[in-house]
Amino acid sequence: MIQYSIQPSSPHAHLFTVVMRIAAPDPEGQLLRLPAWLPGSYMVRDFAKNVVTLSASCGGAKVEVQRDDKSSWLCAPCDGELLVEYEVYAWDLSVRTAHLDSTHAFFNGTSVFLEAVGQGDVACGVTLEAPEGEAYNGWKVATSLSLAGAKLYGFGEYCADNYDDLIDHPVEMGDFSCATFEACDVPHDIVLTGRHNADMDRLCRDLKIICEHHINFFGLPAPVDRYVFMTMVVGEGYGGLEHKASTALLCSRKSLPVIGEDGVNDDYREFLGLCSHEYFHTWNVKRIKPAAFSPFDLASEQYTRLLWAFEGITSYYDDLSLVRCGLVRPESYLQLLAKTISRVQRSPGRFKQSVTDSSFDAWTKFYKQDENAPNAIVSYYTKGALIALCLDVFIRQHSGEKKSLDDLMRLLWQRYGLDEDGLAQGVPENGIEAAVEELLDVGQAKLARSFFNNALRSTNELDVESALAYLGVQLQLAPAKNQSDWGGYRAKHAKLAVAQSVLGIRSAAAQGFVKITHVYDGGAAQVAGLAAGDLVVAIDGLQTKAGQLEKMVAGYTVGAEVKLTAFRRDELMQFEATLQGAEANTAQLSWSGENTLRCQAWLQGEEA
Ligand code: ZN
């Protein structure tokens, strides 16, 4: 047994104190290590950098400790229980690390729990301690860690099967709001930390619908016996990370429904989509997971080409499930789908990088995006979701409408999630493609191979238009009206926007002016020599305040030559640009009026 105790010992200094007791340390000297990354977020973050102090003792006598590498400490051999005490700095408000102040404490085990290397299979006990002081008397605990003496929501004793289990149950401490609902007889908590006015009953009602949908989608029983949605509510923020029996979420206050409000506005729809996404991961990636992650090696990067399936398919179902369970109308779903298509259309990088490469290089490219990202990379989330849509249609088409992507997910669940051997082995790199072939009519394997080669391993444009046509949806690409136009649902004969003049940039307001954040390959700005970071102050000698440039440019005819004045660092520079017409890269979706039965089958889905 390895015993940890953790206390937010100094909320004002953002420090946790952790005490770790190892009953049977390695006689050669115990190696201790913090992960370099955490599952679900594919970037090396070197959590050990936040360990501020560390000391070890045995039977009251000091044990020498040496650094072994950037993430490890080596304790001198000792006879008897090894006690390690350390402090961890926690001041990153994200779902991936740890955050502590006088309002709350949140941590992922990967940020705070050292692994006793070589003893990863040993069961762990965890004592969660409240901070000292009356100010913290109202604090409670939310976590999916198993209770081992603590009362539900209380401080005290918890446990985990082994180290991997220990680090897959984040913990929230604070005076949070909490409500519970049952989905298919399993208790689910929704926990909100931070200032909010949310209608907790409404959240319970809507999340219950989503959770029951997902459980029934994969088939009863649910893979968890308890689940926690732990949510940090802030003014502006968005994020989520999946865990085996919980999810850590970050959301904007405005995305939560208030009492008396009904209907699902765009912000709340985004929140529901996020919850749906993370909950779907309970199956797809937490249990059906790549063989490359079985087991996890958290010391350095682990490579897989399958993230298009784990993130892309999950991104496809997160929104599709909202319409299938009746929380949003079909037109509202088309609006979400249109946005995904527009996002892919605005990434010229899709012609340079395939989704399998994007997945493999997630560590250095997708997770480390810079100003050139739209030109150089493709998102395995957004293009992955469109591949899932095309694959769904492909399976329907080539199985005589008898099968769909839903069946693929259930087959993967049976094989790699439910089955104990499969769970241990994980999905091989060719496992998803092989499973698809099994679902198709005889003699379709060659077609499937060519579908996958094109969709996954090439940079050819995906034929989303034909896939949607099969489902009774008409896709038209039109120029965007402005930077924030992502397309949407369009009544059938509504007019499409005409191409206005653009510079081929993405921008943000800075110092009252327009700062270029991204320059698209081949666009007017790039041809003229403008670069990311440039602060545009005038066009043809007229001042361009933030929010005005786009309109001023649109006022010129396509092909017009203009003089742009911009600061690059502190140097004022002049550029001559020939304006181009906006590309038709914005998706407009409408009902074609054909294939309505297929459309219904698609939008309604069927339970397992
Ligand atoms: Zn995800």
Side-chain angles (χ1 to χ4, degrees), residues 40 240 242 277-278 281 310-311 314-315 381:
E242 66 276 9
H277 181 98
E278 303 306 340
H281 273 317
F310 292 100
E311 290 303 345
T314 302
S315 297
Y381 282 81

Side-chain angles (χ1 to χ4, degrees), residues 290-336:
F293 295 165
S294 309
F296 283 114
D297 172 4
L298 299 176
S300 60
E301 294 86 346
Q302 262 182 314
Y303 299 98
T304 173
R305 291 181 172 79
L306 288 178
L307 293 181
W308 70 269
F310 292 100
E311 290 303 345
I313 294 179
T314 302
S315 297
Y316 173 56
Y317 278 112
D318 57 18
D319 291 339
L320 182 59
S321 305
L322 297 184
V323 69
R324 284 185 174 178
C325 58
L327 284 168
V328 306
R329 291 168 44 74
E331 288 76 16
S332 177
Y333 170 63
L334 288 193
Q335 196 185 7
L336 294 169

Side-chain angles (χ1 to χ4, degrees), residues 336-458:
L336 294 169
L337 187 57
K339 188 171 182 182
T340 306
I341 297 169
S342 303
R343 286 167 82 135
V344 174
Q345 285 293 320
R346 288 180 206 180
S347 317
R350 72 188 185 283
F351 298 122
K352 306 235 176 84
Q353 192 189 42
S354 66
V355 285
T356 40
D357 285 348
S358 178
S359 176
F360 191 88
D361 282 328
W363 304 87
T364 51
K365 295 196 173 188
F366 188 77
Y367 269 90
K368 294 188 178 172
Q369 294 188 29
D370 59 18
E371 65 290 335
N372 197 41
N375 294 325
I377 68 170
V378 69
S379 161
Y380 51 76
Y381 282 81
T382 49
K383 189 175 173 188
L386 298 184
I387 291 172
L389 167 73
C390 293
L391 179 58
D392 195 357
V393 168
F394 182 85
I395 297 172
R396 287 166 195 267
Q397 218 168 359
H398 299 284
S399 65
E401 291 289 325
K402 285 196 244 7
K403 298 280 164 56
S404 71
L405 192 67
D406 303 0
D407 297 285
L408 173 71
M409 296 317 293
R410 294 194 269 260
L411 175 64
L412 294 172
W413 171 239
Q414 297 291 331
R415 186 162 300 164
Y416 299 106
L418 261 189
D419 179 79
E420 264 181 35
D421 290 339
L423 189 56
Q425 284 165 17
V427 184
E429 293 288 291
N430 66 352
I432 290 169
E433 291 170 55
V436 168
E437 287 184 20
E438 290 174 40
L439 291 175
L440 303 178
D441 292 342
V442 212
Q444 306 284 325
K446 211 171 149 195
L447 264 180
R449 260 165 260 158
S450 120
F451 171 87
F452 282 119
N453 281 336
N454 187 63
L456 305 182
R457 288 175 281 274
S458 88

Side-chain angles (χ1 to χ4, degrees), residues 413-566:
W413 171 239
Q414 297 291 331
R415 186 162 300 164
Y416 299 106
L418 261 189
D419 179 79
E420 264 181 35
D421 290 339
L423 189 56
Q425 284 165 17
V427 184
E429 293 288 291
N430 66 352
I432 290 169
E433 291 170 55
V436 168
E437 287 184 20
E438 290 174 40
L439 291 175
L440 303 178
D441 292 342
V442 212
Q444 306 284 325
K446 211 171 149 195
L447 264 180
R449 260 165 260 158
S450 120
F451 171 87
F452 282 119
N453 281 336
N454 187 63
L456 305 182
R457 288 175 281 274
S458 88
T459 55
N460 299 337
E461 190 82 284
L462 207 56
D463 190 2
V464 179
E465 191 181 339
S466 303
L468 283 171
Y470 185 86
L471 296 170
V473 177
Q474 187 189 28
L475 163 65
Q476 281 174 293
L477 292 172
K481 289 192 218 98
N482 52 53
Q483 201 173 249
S484 49
D485 174 15
W486 291 95
Y489 167 74
R490 189 178 67 92
K492 203 164 172 216
H493 298 293
K495 263 186 152 174
L496 295 170
V498 285
Q500 292 181 313
S501 292
V502 292
L503 280 171
I505 57 168
R506 270 190 355 222
S507 62
Q511 300 162 45
F513 290 96
V514 171
K515 186 176 186 169
I516 299 178
T517 56
H518 301 80
V519 176
Y520 287 113
D521 269 354
Q526 192 186 63
V527 174
L530 281 150
D534 289 351
L535 195 70
V536 183
V537 294
I539 179 165
D540 283 339
L542 291 176
Q543 198 178 50
T544 51
K545 287 277 180 63
Q548 294 174 352
L549 178 64
E550 199 177 19
K551 257 197 180 149
M552 288 169 83
V553 169
Y556 286 89
T557 51
V558 173
E561 308 212 335
V562 296
K563 283 196 174 58
L564 289 149
T565 312

